[in-house]
Amino acid sequence: MSIELRHSTVAIGDLSLHVVESGPTGGRPYLFLHGWPESWRTWLGVMAAAGDEARTIAVDLPGTGGSTGAVEGGSKRRLAEVVHALVRELGLTGTTLVGHDAGGMAAYAYLRRFTGVDRVAVLNTVIPGVDPWNEVLHNPYIWHFGLHAVPDLPETLVQGRQAAYFDYFYDVLSADPRRITAESRAAHAAAYESPAALTAGFDLYRAFPQDARDNAEAAGDPVDTPLLYVRGDREGGDIEAYARGLRAAGVRNLTTAVIADAGHFAQEEQPAAVWAVLRDFAAAPADQVR
């Protein structure tokens, strides 16, 4: 489905955020946050699936793609503050905030700190400091968490080789690598072309210890904003373990969903299915979202 995309820049303090919208400006808003190694374009298929049903808004995270400036250290709490300011700047109400990967970590930080959105959806990630966080950290298949946290080294290794390095993750972590198109891969690589953009991306990993401490501070405090947690069925990991961790952390209104025939990049692998889950989550009465 062909959709009209509206590009703009929004100033948030000393940051300039690249914002891409589609759908009617008066429609129910969905605000999308990407993860690593992606850009706003990871949501294009979901936005196309939404069509005229909703106002969909995707942003490049600070320092990535068309967004300038950076969140020092990659703190998800600080990213949540930026997102909160963006929600206010755009005048959004009734919003569903959706985050994938590191964007999902930022969406969770928003959930713990702010009440400016109606619902939050977290896709394909583990939350620092929330079970099964320690289990994930000790998984040898998650080796890149450690590498990306080393100061300067990943920038040195990856600069000029972004496309090849990113391709490894698309190929290994998706159910069918062909669904991550050449156009999408090229756009994501371009979003991290500069040394500063690479650092902004790797800083998301360097912040994990602080993110875990921030989340631990709020652990057990109840939060009633509805939360949807989503994983691809080919990603691995027991979704019930993630659900138990979120409930133990204080999330009282939690529902889960599994996307069939999808790995880590569910929004690009199965965009129509992801949209259907998000749409149904946002449309259900709050007391029935479980």
Side-chain angles (χ1 to χ4, degrees):
M1 178 179 180
S2 177
I3 56 171
E4 178 185 350
L5 299 174
R6 305 183 295 275
H7 294 257
S8 64
T9 57
V10 177
I12 303 294
D14 59 354
L15 305 176
S16 177
L17 297 184
H18 175 216
V19 177
V20 184
E21 298 190 45
S22 67
T25 57
R28 182 195 297 268
Y30 293 76
L31 177 58
F32 296 110
L33 309 178
H34 66 81
W36 185 94
E38 299 154 291
S39 63
W40 77 267
R41 198 186 183 284
T42 195
W43 300 107
L44 184 58
V46 176
M47 297 166 80
D52 292 331
E53 289 186 70
R55 178 185 181 184
T56 55
I57 307 159
V59 301
D60 280 329
L61 294 183
T64 302
S67 293
T68 59
V71 170
E72 185 176 358
S75 161
K76 310 310 174 296
R77 177 178 284 185
R78 174 67 182 119
L79 279 173
E81 293 172 356
V82 173
V83 173
H84 184 58
L86 178 63
V87 169
R88 298 179 64 178
E89 184 68 23
L90 295 178
L92 301 180
T93 59
T95 307
T96 297
L97 175 63
V98 184
H100 173 260
D101 189 77
M105 298 177 185
Y108 179 80
Y110 190 109
L111 175 81
R112 299 299 330 203
R113 227 174 147 196
F114 300 109
T115 58
V117 300
D118 278 13
R119 305 177 191 225
V120 173
V122 171
L123 280 64
N124 303 90
T125 196
V126 63
I127 304 300
V130 176
D131 285 343
W133 175 245
N134 288 330
E135 179 183 334
V136 170
L137 288 182
H138 289 92
N139 184 341
Y141 291 102
I142 312 298
W143 55 268
H144 59 288
F145 278 26
L147 173 61
H148 293 177
V150 177
D152 301 322
L153 179 61
E155 287 93 332
T156 300
L157 297 175
V158 176
Q159 182 61 52
R161 306 175 183 87
Q162 285 91 329
Y165 188 63
F166 295 173
D167 277 351
Y168 170 83
F169 294 94
Y170 303 138
D171 293 345
V172 169
L173 299 180
S174 57
D176 183 348
R178 292 172 297 181
R179 295 177 188 148
I180 316 295
T181 66
E183 294 80 6
S184 184
R185 292 172 186 240
H188 297 333
Y192 295 86
E193 183 175 12
S194 72
L198 273 180
T199 294
F202 292 132
D203 277 351
L204 296 170
Y205 293 85
R206 293 170 182 141
F208 284 173
Q210 183 60 54
D211 296 336
R213 289 190 292 270
D214 290 341
N215 289 332
E217 287 179 9
D221 294 343
V223 57
D224 292 318
T225 301
L227 173 65
L228 169 68
Y229 182 79
V230 180
R231 290 181 77 79
D233 71 343
R234 301 281 294 279
E235 184 171 27
D238 178 9
I239 194 169
E240 286 306 315
Y242 290 82
R244 286 193 298 271
L246 290 166
R247 291 191 179 102
V251 177
R252 298 202 293 196
N253 196 341
L254 174 70
T255 190
T256 62
V258 174
I259 304 300
D261 194 22
H264 180 67
F265 302 97
Q267 72 279 3
E268 293 201 53
E269 299 177 63
Q270 298 290 350
V274 168
W275 168 243
V277 166
L278 295 174
R279 178 194 59 211
D280 292 348
F281 169 65
D287 60 357
Q288 296 180 20
V289 179
R290 299 216 181 254

